[in-house]
Amino acid sequence: MNEQDGPFIRRPGGSGPTPGNPRGPERRRVVPGQPYDPPRAWSQSPDDRGGKPAPPPAGRYAPRQEPEPFRPDRGPVPPPPGRDRRSPDPGGFRRPPPPPPRRPADQPGPPSRRPRRRRRIPIVRSLLVLLLVIVVGVAGLTFYYDSKLNRVDALSSYPGRVRDTPGTNWLLVGSDSRADLSAEQKRQLATGDSDGKRTDTIMLIHIPSSGKAMIISIPRDLYVTIPGQGPDKINAAFNGGPKLLVQTIETFTKVHIDHYAEIGFGGFDTLVDAVGGVNICLDQPLRDPKAGLRLRAGCQDLNGQQALGLVRTRAFPNADLERVVNQRKFLSALMSKASGASTVLNPFRLFPFVSGTVSSITVDNGDHIWNLALLAWALRSSPLTTTTPNGGSENTDSGDALAVDDDTTTFFDYIAKDVTVPAQLLQNTGGAIS
């Protein structure tokens, strides 16, 4: 019996098994007396298929075979299962996402995130690195400039030296050395051509344990005993070098010298120019061709050349005694300018001043640049200034000199004990600087 006459009808699709149907094609039995029921798609309704629908084969999709009429009032057809819902529909529209479910009023929401705090560790670390760089840089420059200082053996020990006394004592010497000046500089500064060096200024700076510092001028004509040489003017001791001068002053005053500094003509004008000049008020006009000085009365800024002429001139009735007053007042004004904000915070003034200091000042072997910085700081604000009390002029084997009397001895006793000096022993009159 052939396939058309038999009781079975073969379903189209071949006679062998398929991947979705391993048992082969489905055959349906023809019941006599009933109309022929052709095979239908799995997507058709169960009523149309005469029984319960069977699930489609695994891995296969069987769409409905019956077309549906187009209805313009309906929205876009949803995509079949398994397709990307974000892909646009045939009409070019995209279905909007469904709204989030509403939360009941009594149900608390999710905990809110706390705002993140900015990390401060990198900022603090950067500041620490910057601070370290500054500290290392300052320390490096300090030791560099300290190594450039000129040094001399001035404070070495000797038999019978005065023991350490309270407070801090500096011996500041201004010499008239012209060794480092060129012919042009000698002409500009009106220094002359004298050879060698002599003490043009001798100052004892006493920094007490408490209270204001004191600048004490020691007149170079003060008649004292020089160890190993006998009585003479005190500036004669400098001919034997700084060490002999220190020994002479310590023996005469009974005050222990802790630090020593010396500066010449060329270094002085360099320091003044480095800080941009110093403002000085004069009570009278000054004219001194020997010192190259020509200044008007009143307040004015002095450059290095004018300042050097001012501290050198002795064109006064009392000559050297009035000159030392000008020297003390100008030194105080210079230290105030050097330690002020206009110099310390201005690198174009600070570095030239420091460079000029290390190149023009000679200190003891045990002194350092930080000792000079502490000296400038101590003199920054109106120190007490005075001239060493003396017994007046007297004739000596060295010519006219200033005698030492009881007031001189009493005055230095107060300094050695680091106590306040009575006002009647202070002498600060004269000079041209107000």
Side-chain angles (χ1 to χ4, degrees), residues 224-256:
V224 299
T225 299
I226 299 176
Q229 297 184 10
D232 203 344
K233 294 180 179 180
I234 196 170
N235 67 337
F238 192 63
N239 295 332
K243 184 176 179 179
L244 181 58
L245 178 62
V246 170
Q247 184 179 356
T248 301
I249 292 179
E250 287 185 337
T251 303
F252 154 58
T253 64
K254 302 300 187 291
V255 175
H256 183 87

Side-chain angles (χ1 to χ4, degrees), residues 180-350:
D180 297 332
L181 297 179
S182 63
E184 180 63 21
Q185 289 175 321
K186 292 178 182 179
R187 184 189 64 81
Q188 291 179 352
L189 300 176
T191 60
D193 297 321
S194 299
D195 295 329
K197 63 179 181 180
R198 290 164 293 276
T199 54
D200 208 50
T201 302
I202 302 176
M203 292 184 185
L204 178 64
I205 300 176
H206 177 68
I207 304 175
S209 302
S210 62
K212 289 187 176 182
M214 179 179 289
I215 303 177
I216 306 165
S217 295
I218 301 177
R220 64 179 187 171
D221 292 338
L222 194 66
Y223 202 66
V224 299
T225 299
I226 299 176
Q229 297 184 10
D232 203 344
K233 294 180 179 180
I234 196 170
N235 67 337
F238 192 63
N239 295 332
K243 184 176 179 179
L244 181 58
L245 178 62
V246 170
Q247 184 179 356
T248 301
I249 292 179
E250 287 185 337
T251 303
F252 154 58
T253 64
K254 302 300 187 291
V255 175
H256 183 87
I257 304 299
D258 303 299
H259 304 281
Y260 175 86
E262 176 188 330
I263 187 171
F265 279 167
F268 184 81
D269 75 296
T270 301
L271 297 183
V272 175
D273 288 334
V275 297
V278 178
N279 187 266
I280 293 296
C281 296
L282 300 178
D283 295 332
Q284 57 183 307
L286 295 178
R287 304 286 188 274
D288 187 359
K290 293 182 180 180
L293 185 64
R294 186 181 181 88
L295 298 175
R296 59 176 176 83
C299 297
Q300 54 204 294
D301 290 332
L302 303 186
N303 59 27
Q305 178 184 353
Q306 295 169 325
L308 181 60
L310 176 62
V311 299
R312 288 183 57 213
T313 183
R314 291 194 288 177
F316 305 103
N318 290 327
D320 192 61
L321 291 180
E322 293 197 51
R323 181 178 69 164
V324 295
V325 175
N326 292 333
Q327 291 173 347
R328 293 195 307 266
K329 291 183 177 180
F330 188 87
L331 175 63
S332 177
L334 176 60
M335 291 297 99
S336 178
K337 181 70 175 291
S339 59
S342 61
T343 300
V344 175
L345 301 180
N346 186 350
F348 297 101
R349 287 184 178 178
L350 178 62

Side-chain angles (χ1 to χ4, degrees), residues 12 28 33 49 56 80 88 109 127 131 149 160 188 208 255 258 280 294 298 312-313 323 351 363 366 369 374 398 432:
R28 303 191 62 176
R49 295 176 60 237
L127 293 177
L131 180 61
L149 277 172
Q188 291 179 352
V255 175
D258 303 299
I280 293 296
R294 186 181 181 88
R312 288 183 57 213
T313 183
R323 181 178 69 164
F351 288 106
V363 297
I369 193 170
L374 292 176
S398 303

Side-chain angles (χ1 to χ4, degrees), residues 105-125:
D106 57 346
Q107 181 179 357
S112 59
R113 293 184 178 180
R114 295 182 178 180
R116 291 185 178 180
R117 296 182 179 180
R118 295 183 178 179
R119 286 190 173 184
R120 297 185 178 180
I121 296 179
I123 299 178
V124 174
R125 188 176 302 168

